[in-house]
Amino acid sequence: MTWVTFRRFRFELVTLTVALAALAAWLIGTGLQHYAAFDVPYVGPISAAACARQIPQPQPNSECYNILTTYLNQFQGDGGNPLLSMLLSNTLHFLIALVPALVGAMLGGPLIARELERGTFRLVWAQGITRGRWLWGSVIAATLATIALVGAITLVVTWWSAPLDQIVGHFSGGFEMEGLVPLAYALFALALGIALGLIVRSSVPALFITLLGFFLVRSLITQLATQLYAYFMPPLTITYDSSIAVPPTGPQMRDWVTSSGFVDHFGDPVSQDLINGICGANDPTTAGNPTSACVHAHGWLYTVTWQPDSRFWAYQGIESAIYLALALAVLAVAIWWVRRRPV
Amino acid sequence: MIWLVWRRHRLGILALTLLALALAVYLVIGSWPARAAYYQVTNGQSPASCYASQSTSTLCTQLTAQWRDTYDDPGDVLGWLGILIAPAVLGMFLGAPLVADELESGTQRLAWTQGVTRRRWLLTLIASEAIVALLLAGVVQVAVWYWLGSYPPDGNGFGAFDMMGMAPLAYVAFALMLGLAMGALVRRVVPAMLLTLVGYLAVRIPIVLYARPHYLPPLTLTWDPYVTPNPRIQPGSQDWVVSGGWLDSTGKPIGRGDFFARVFGAGGPRPGPNYCTPMGQPDANIGTDFNGWNTLCTHNYGWHYQTVWQPADRFWLFQGIECALFLALAVALVALTLWLVRRVLA
């Protein structure tokens, strides 16, 4: 059964493989440049790679910290052209993170819909095997193909974004492009495609709605994520007098700072505008300037909330679980829908 | 015949119309806060009046910096993605199924053997779909112009080349015909859609990166910043600086990584009168800017700085060239499709 599905989708599978191979070739080409620059000794024998490996992590304004900042600047945009800077920035990550969805949607949308729109299901369902077995055989084949294709490209992307992850951390780096979540995105898109194919019974509209639906769901969850994810695991917090020194127990370079700001001695937040209005426009978070001295005199403390980089896999698990649960829910709705109406 | 085209494709056309309207509304409404803040008057000045008078007063510096920090972000993911990907989406969903659907389901045997010739049937299809696509793109384009108008400092000139003028409509024409040709070539809808997306990006991105900077020979300035700290002719703020970097004494460009290695590397100069920048504070713009560098160091190496740019007054000429290029590609793809269809036996 699985083999038949692979045969039915051979053109899709071949084009997807070719397209992903082209993407992988581009990633490997640019990745080699990243890695070459990563190992160049910048100051004396110190390379960016050595700085990224340093324990404890480099503190702001240290030599290693500056080397890493410079390394990043090399690969972040050229101010002259927004398209170019976009291609080298977060938007590129966003585009790469859409690739798994594209794979899932392309396989899922037509999986059942094509049989329905062409009427070939009449032949298929009148063969020796049951309808249920045919359905599950198709779904399993499509799932295996999705896992293989997305898994392969995710390995390349993970290698490609590793230098970035070693500098800014996995949360700000390649969170949505590596680990488990690309597979979860792809499987959700696959399930959405299969479900919509069953409901609208036509491949191209199913594919269209799947891509649109995926984009909306993912944008929505990402928006919520910036607010809610920060609290899925209790965040770490530190409150200190920033006019004296930054305590070493605060967030490190690679941690995900979810919020920061000044509070008064009741613990209520003090707005940046108020601070600038009263104490001037210097950076109040670094010691040794008039603004920070004035902040100290008012008794305002700096408070930072963060998730450590070491929780990367825990958060990958949470996000994957959300998308896999959505995938199962969408399939369940589709099966209920199909059972309810006569074919 | 046009009626038939509409009957066959009304669902797709309606869906894409809704999507285009949603994008247009998003762009227009999304730019309102930036627009309002741009004209918001504080103590007698607004970012608009500050930019207009090019004032450098403390208030103006603060107002414009604040406005830029909050709003001036043409890198806004959704808007940018929408604008960059929109032509590809039209090509995928409107262009690719046009012929591929017919060939995949075998209905060309009926459709192409009626009183209307194959060529005429196809040309009517192409013309009607092209009109629909250009109308939709036109609606989005008007919204994009409005959106760009909300970010005056960066919303015009080469920085917004891909969204301004008529170039986006040429991209739409190209993407649509690419979809059509891919459909005729692989004769299967879903693979044709994927190839349209890949092909569109594979043409657009290299043209931006490698062809556009050379539509006309760029202006070049090579100088030794130690000898001439302020060259008389330099690219202005509206000009498009294509590239900038250091050249060694033989005129070969020095890569950014090599630059670091040579300046700070094991064999290079150590801290002292000869070093190029204070240790531990590498310039954030290394390789693209020499400000803040000890230029004596680069002078001793015999290095020159080179800037390559396209002046701002070539903008509309470049738009014309880019439009012509993509329209020519579109026409070539139509010819390819017609040839494929005539060759493919019904």
Side-chain angles (χ1 to χ4, degrees), chain A residues 4 28 32 58 99 116 167 183 208 232 285-286 331:
Chain A
V4 174
I28 290 171
L32 288 174
V99 169
L116 295 177
I167 298 173
L183 286 172
F208 182 73
F232 275 0
T285 62
T286 49
L331 275 184

Side-chain angles (χ1 to χ4, degrees), chain A residues 181-199:
Chain A
V181 293
L183 286 172
Y185 295 156
L187 292 176
F188 169 60
L190 179 72
L192 195 62
I194 294 172
L196 287 167
L198 275 169
I199 292 168

Side-chain angles (χ1 to χ4, degrees), chain A residues 11 42 44 66 82 84 118 215, chain B residues 78 81 104 159 188 209 264 280:
Chain A
F11 287 100
Y42 276 51
N66 290 330
L84 194 64
R118 289 188 188 165
F215 187 75
Chain B
L78 204 58
L81 267 185
E104 192 174 340
R188 275 167 188 84
L209 297 185
F264 296 121

Side-chain angles (χ1 to χ4, degrees), chain A residues 11-12 15-16 40 42-44 66 70 73-74 82-84 86 94-95 102 106 110 118 204 207-208 212 215, chain B residues 15 19 78 80-81 84 93 104 159 188-191 193-194 197 208-209 256-257 260 264 279-280 282 284 286:
Chain A
F11 287 100
E12 278 80 359
T15 28
L16 278 171
V40 164
Y42 276 51
V43 179
N66 290 330
T70 313
N73 280 332
Q74 289 184 58
L83 179 65
L84 194 64
M86 188 200 75
F94 198 86
L95 275 175
L102 200 63
M106 293 246 162
R118 289 188 188 165
V204 176
L207 181 50
F208 182 73
L212 195 64
F215 187 75
Chain B
L19 197 64
L78 204 58
W80 260 107
L81 267 185
L84 182 71
F93 287 95
E104 192 174 340
R188 275 167 188 84
V189 181
V190 177
M193 289 166 78
L194 183 65
L197 177 66
V208 175
L209 297 185
R256 289 168 180 183
F260 257 114
F264 296 121
M279 288 298 276
I286 175 140

